[in-house]
Amino acid sequence: MGIVTSVHLDINNGWDALNDEVPQGADLVFAHPPYWNMIDYAKFRGKKYVHDISSIGDYDAYVSVMSSLFTRVYESIAAGGRYGVLLGLIRRRGKLYDPARDIQFHGTLVDEVIKVQHNTSSGRQDLSGKYGNSRFTRIVHEKLLIYQKQGYIERSG
Ligand SMILES: C[S@@+](CC[C@H](N)C(=O)[O-])C[C@H]1O[C@@H](n2cnc3c(N)ncnc32)[C@H](O)[C@@H]1O
């Protein structure tokens, strides 16, 4: 893709998306945030981070925090730049949550990519071959949304 420099940020390596600055001027940001509290990353890694997004208990609070985060991401990118966000569905007590639909994103949606999701809890079978929750169709995909900021990037070559 001709990427010259890339920066990789996660609370796990000391960068807190909710409080630290988003690096400015990137042509492309790729974000893979927690799908609400589907996986408790703190517990998963045996470490507790105070601002871990996956510890937000309330869905509306999660959506609001993520909407603010993506406003900051949008503001941070260069004119004409793009950001992509990979998100999946969550089913909780029979209710379906779709953060990709509920979070407010800025810019123009220029692409939507459907990706097969592996190792989901709804995809696990018991010894008789029955899926965990057979009342619903299994969740087997994630969505990569790509948004573009208005403007023009002058490129050499
Ligand atoms: C869906 S996973 C993405 C994992 C990534 N694709 C990888 O392969 O390492 C969500 C990530 O968000 C991170 N995270 C949770 N809260 C965060 C925060 N406040 N700031 C930065 N990263 C956070 C978690 O540590 C976790 O690694």
Side-chain angles (χ1 to χ4, degrees), residues 10-12 15-18 32-34 41 45 51-54:
D10 193 292
I11 203 160
N12 196 28
W15 179 78
D16 173 7
L18 306 185
H32 190 198
Y41 285 97
R45 297 203 179 101
H51 298 117
D52 197 302
I53 294 165
S54 63

Side-chain angles (χ1 to χ4, degrees), residues 13 16 23-25 28 36 53 56 59 67 90 109 111 122:
N13 59 27
D16 173 7
Q24 301 294 301
L28 175 68
W36 184 22
I53 294 165
I56 301 174
Y59 181 71
S67 298
I90 305 131
L109 182 68
D111 220 336
S122 64

Side-chain angles (χ1 to χ4, degrees), residues 3-8:
I3 293 172
V4 180
T5 308
S6 63
V7 179
H8 304 251

